Amino acid sequence: MPAPIPRQRAIPAAESGQAQTPAQAAPAVGGPSGDMSGGTSAATEASRAQDTTAEVTEGTVTGDKAGNGNSHAPGPGHLTLLMIEDDPGGSPVVPELLDPTGKPIRVRTARNLTEAERLLTDDVHCILLDLALPAPAPGRAADGTHDELAVLKHVLRIAPHHAVLALTASGDTERGAEAVRVGAQDYLFRDELDGRLLSRAIRYAVERKRSDRAERKLTESKLRAQENARLERGLLPTPLLEGSPLHFAARYRPGRSRALLGGDFYDTVRTPDGTVHAMIGDVCGHGPDEAALGVELRIAWRALTLAGLCGDQLLGTLQQVLEHERSDDEIFATLCTVDIAPDGRRAGLCLAGHPSPLLARPGRPAELLPYDNNGPALGLLPGARWPRMQVELGAEWSLMLYTDGLIEGRVGEGRRERLGQDGMVAMVRRQLAEGLRGEELLRAAVNEVRDLNGGELTDDVAVVMLDRTP
């Protein structure tokens, strides 16, 4: 249905931006209808009487007499005011309603809320609402009495992102203060208003609304960040090692900025037979989707391990989980699993495209465990197999599992080379010689790799350490 065409009327100088002589200026705010424009033509009044459509005035006028309809959109920096008042002829707009740059403030007027909703576009900065305007439906307060702010509450519902100035009778401070409590940015007295006061109030209301919205967004952002942090912390594993003499330590640093969880994952559990199972893995990539997939694989690994699966059977089932849950056929994951015998002196090792763990024992230099039978990463080859190797650990040892984020940091002049496994082994040997162990050693290793890289690492880093002392 076509929108009603607004009738033309004489536009006050405050709307048109044209200067007024003293004779043209409104004699007083809130005076008789029509006084604001210095007199209204009989033809215009007749048009108003015959037309029940709400009155609409928009834009500043240049080059022509007011009321000829040749208006233009304001340039950058203009403010636009939507005035909702059932008697625009007696409205409080006064000459020289200017924004901070000295440009005329654009004014739109509407006689009722229905017309106001149509005029409420994104370029409106502020709404001037007469609280005496009838509400669209009889408003009732919680106690059943008449709600004097029903019209304001309606406007706040339809214009949640706009600044609102409430206009009330002179001296009605209590009603004005209540309007601000309900949600208006400020209130003004109708009989005490002038152009300078209104201009300043509009600017203040707009800036206060912007400040309120920015503060609300900041608060919402903080709440979301806290919620995400709690969620991500909850997704990090709690090792199940009750009854085991082994000592556990872990360090985790996601590659995503401000994230707590990346595509790397790890876990450690002790099964009823006394075997300690440890795992570390890496989903290719380090975004939120990879982090979610890593959590799914970790939880699946824990459930399958506690169900008694290990070695090739366990990894084959995890590959099925990966293939079902991944969003793209190109996504894969590397994995390293060890199962340490109840006596702690030997372990089974399975590698699925993952770097081999580092084993440190007293009187011997730290070294990488064999990786000759390294199988493919999960998700690359259907029906793949992952041999389980038997490894002798000894009576006292430290076993470090890690992801490739620890060995792919840049080092050297110009950062043209990667640290690599050899560089990592040399670094850990030196740190062990300095007496570092457990959590302290992992913290030092991650920090040194970051320092060698010249800043934060771009990939996720996860490191797990298991220690056995006689």
Side-chain angles (χ1 to χ4, degrees), residues 297 313 315-325 378-379:
L297 291 174
Q313 187 180 13
L315 292 176
T317 307
L318 283 179
Q319 175 158 279
Q320 293 180 32
V321 174
L322 171 66
E323 291 171 345
H324 179 73
E325 297 295 334
L378 302 181

Side-chain angles (χ1 to χ4, degrees), residues 79-115:
L79 290 174
T80 301
L81 173 72
L82 174 59
M83 182 172 57
I84 309 176
E85 213 262 358
D86 61 354
D87 187 10
S91 66
V93 178
V94 296
E96 298 183 1
L97 194 58
L98 306 176
D99 67 13
T101 65
K103 299 177 181 177
I105 295 177
R106 302 175 67 224
V107 179
R108 300 177 183 175
T109 58
R111 286 185 174 180
N112 56 49
L113 295 176
T114 301
E115 186 62 30

Side-chain angles (χ1 to χ4, degrees), residues 33-268:
S33 175
D35 287 349
M36 286 300 300
S37 61
T40 306
S41 67
T44 304
E45 291 295 344
S47 174
R48 288 177 180 171
Q50 295 172 2
D51 193 346
T52 58
T53 304
E55 181 173 358
V56 182
T57 304
E58 178 181 357
T60 55
V61 180
T62 58
D64 296 287
K65 293 182 179 179
N68 64 4
N70 294 332
S71 63
H72 67 88
H78 276 82
L79 290 174
T80 301
L81 173 72
L82 174 59
M83 182 172 57
I84 309 176
E85 213 262 358
D86 61 354
D87 187 10
S91 66
V93 178
V94 296
E96 298 183 1
L97 194 58
L98 306 176
D99 67 13
T101 65
K103 299 177 181 177
I105 295 177
R106 302 175 67 224
V107 179
R108 300 177 183 175
T109 58
R111 286 185 174 180
N112 56 49
L113 295 176
T114 301
E115 186 62 30
E117 289 192 48
R118 190 175 71 82
L119 293 176
L120 195 60
T121 54
D122 290 339
D123 60 332
V124 171
H125 298 88
C126 185
I127 298 172
L128 180 62
L129 173 66
D130 187 352
L131 295 181
L133 193 72
R140 294 290 176 183
D143 58 1
T145 60
H146 175 69
D147 188 354
E148 295 183 345
L149 297 178
V151 63
L152 171 62
K153 294 175 181 178
H154 180 82
V155 169
L156 293 174
R157 283 194 298 271
I158 66 175
H161 304 302
H162 292 77
V164 177
L165 288 172
L167 191 63
T168 187
S170 180
D172 195 356
T173 304
E174 183 176 349
R175 191 178 186 187
E178 181 67 12
V180 173
R181 188 193 68 79
V182 168
Q185 272 59 60
D186 204 350
Y187 68 93
L188 302 169
F189 294 138
R190 183 184 297 104
D191 297 336
E192 300 177 6
L193 201 62
D194 58 29
R196 183 176 180 181
L197 175 61
L198 180 56
S199 298
R200 186 172 61 183
I202 292 171
R203 296 196 299 269
Y204 169 78
V206 169
E207 292 305 320
R208 181 174 178 180
K209 185 65 177 182
R210 288 175 179 169
S211 176
D212 290 344
R213 291 181 63 188
E215 184 176 357
R216 184 165 54 252
K217 288 182 178 179
L218 179 60
T219 301
E220 292 173 353
S221 177
K222 288 181 178 179
L223 291 175
R224 277 196 305 270
Q226 292 171 1
E227 183 178 350
N228 290 340
R230 287 193 296 270
L231 176 62
E232 291 182 326
R233 288 193 190 100
L235 293 175
L236 288 172
T238 300
L240 300 179
L241 292 175
E242 185 177 357
S244 172
L246 301 183
H247 301 284
F248 171 88
R251 292 289 291 177
Y252 194 97
R253 184 188 294 272
R256 287 185 295 143
S257 175
R258 300 181 181 178
L260 294 177
L261 200 63
D264 291 2
F265 54 99
Y266 64 89
D267 205 351
T268 306

Side-chain angles (χ1 to χ4, degrees), residues 187-404:
Y187 68 93
L188 302 169
F189 294 138
R190 183 184 297 104
D191 297 336
E192 300 177 6
L193 201 62
D194 58 29
R196 183 176 180 181
L197 175 61
L198 180 56
S199 298
R200 186 172 61 183
I202 292 171
R203 296 196 299 269
Y204 169 78
V206 169
E207 292 305 320
R208 181 174 178 180
K209 185 65 177 182
R210 288 175 179 169
S211 176
D212 290 344
R213 291 181 63 188
E215 184 176 357
R216 184 165 54 252
K217 288 182 178 179
L218 179 60
T219 301
E220 292 173 353
S221 177
K222 288 181 178 179
L223 291 175
R224 277 196 305 270
Q226 292 171 1
E227 183 178 350
N228 290 340
R230 287 193 296 270
L231 176 62
E232 291 182 326
R233 288 193 190 100
L235 293 175
L236 288 172
T238 300
L240 300 179
L241 292 175
E242 185 177 357
S244 172
L246 301 183
H247 301 284
F248 171 88
R251 292 289 291 177
Y252 194 97
R253 184 188 294 272
R256 287 185 295 143
S257 175
R258 300 181 181 178
L260 294 177
L261 200 63
D264 291 2
F265 54 99
Y266 64 89
D267 205 351
T268 306
V269 298
R270 180 177 184 265
T271 50
D273 64 356
T275 302
V276 172
H277 303 259
M279 170 272 292
I280 195 164
D282 182 4
V283 178
C284 64
H286 49 270
D289 292 338
E290 289 78 10
L293 183 55
V295 171
E296 291 180 275
L297 291 174
R298 180 187 67 78
I299 294 173
W301 177 87
R302 174 175 284 199
L304 294 170
T305 299
L306 292 175
L309 276 67
C310 67
D312 189 73
Q313 187 180 13
L314 172 60
L315 292 176
T317 307
L318 283 179
Q319 175 158 279
Q320 293 180 32
V321 174
L322 171 66
E323 291 171 345
H324 179 73
E325 297 295 334
R326 63 185 176 185
S327 59
D328 190 297
D329 290 342
E330 301 297 321
I331 293 178
F332 62 91
T334 65
L335 199 71
C336 168
T337 68
V338 294
D339 52 278
I340 303 169
D343 64 5
R345 303 181 69 91
R346 62 188 184 280
L349 172 66
C350 285
L351 297 174
H354 200 87
S356 183
L358 182 145
L359 177 64
R361 291 174 286 192
R364 303 184 188 181
E367 60 183 354
L368 298 175
L369 292 180
Y371 51 89
D372 297 337
N373 292 327
N374 196 339
L378 302 181
L380 291 183
L381 299 176
R385 304 297 300 273
W386 296 271
R388 178 176 176 273
M389 297 174 285
Q390 194 72 20
V391 179
E392 293 297 326
L393 301 177
E396 183 178 354
W397 48 264
S398 295
L399 186 64
M400 189 175 84
L401 287 64
Y402 54 93
T403 58
D404 59 7

